[in-house]
Amino acid sequence: QVQLVESGGGLVQTGVSLTLSCGCSGRSVSGAGMGWFRQVPGKRREFVAGLKWSGTYTLYADSVKGRFTISRDNEKNTAYLQMSGLRPEDTAVYYCAADFQRLTIPSQRPGAYEYWGQGTQVTVSS
């Protein structure tokens, strides 16, 4: 029904910028609460950023606040995570997630999201 595909990851140097994309098929991202999470092997999936299903209300993890920006382009049916000032501790597999529950605020819990992409690796070298 709904499929999400992340892209844009790669190997970068400390301090640079990188933008991840999340293409959606099956339903429109204009009506979806969007989330970005990241995960390191052996650790639980960590909330990074969330965007409410309607409007521009956003939430960010303290570790990325001021450096990362979540957004959507309805015409392209794609969500984005713009990352700047990357640090080695940002290294992880980044996952895009979507839900159609129309929550009041974006959820920080992975279990709240109905659909997930396959992930894209971001590696920040020191």
Side-chain angles (χ1 to χ4, degrees):
Q1 182 182 8
V2 175
Q3 293 189 31
L4 305 175
V5 180
E6 302 98 331
S7 62
L11 173 62
V12 298
Q13 298 291 126
T14 297
V16 304
S17 298
L18 194 66
T19 297
L20 306 182
S21 299
C22 175
C24 179
S25 62
R27 293 190 67 173
S28 298
V29 300
S30 62
M34 303 300 301
W36 285 95
F37 292 76
R38 63 190 183 187
Q39 189 168 28
V40 176
K43 302 293 184 180
R44 66 184 305 172
R45 199 160 293 188
E46 174 191 22
F47 173 80
V48 175
L51 175 62
K52 187 179 177 179
W53 68 274
S54 178
T56 58
Y57 185 95
T58 58
L59 289 176
Y60 297 95
D62 288 342
S63 59
V64 308
K65 196 171 300 181
R67 299 189 297 123
F68 290 13
T69 301
I70 185 172
S71 63
R72 62 162 63 88
D73 185 323
N74 293 335
E75 184 173 337
K76 296 182 181 296
N77 209 31
T78 300
Y80 302 93
L81 183 68
Q82 301 174 79
M83 305 181 292
S84 64
L86 285 167
R87 308 162 179 168
E89 51 263 45
D90 294 318
T91 295
V93 176
Y94 282 72
Y95 295 90
C96 174
D99 84 271
F100 295 89
Q101 304 172 76
R102 299 200 286 183
L103 302 177
T104 303
I105 61 172
S107 179
Q108 299 175 257
R109 293 173 27 252
Y113 292 85
E114 302 163 273
Y115 304 99
W116 293 84
Q118 82 290 346
T120 185
Q121 176 72 45
V122 174
T123 302
V124 185
S125 65
S126 59

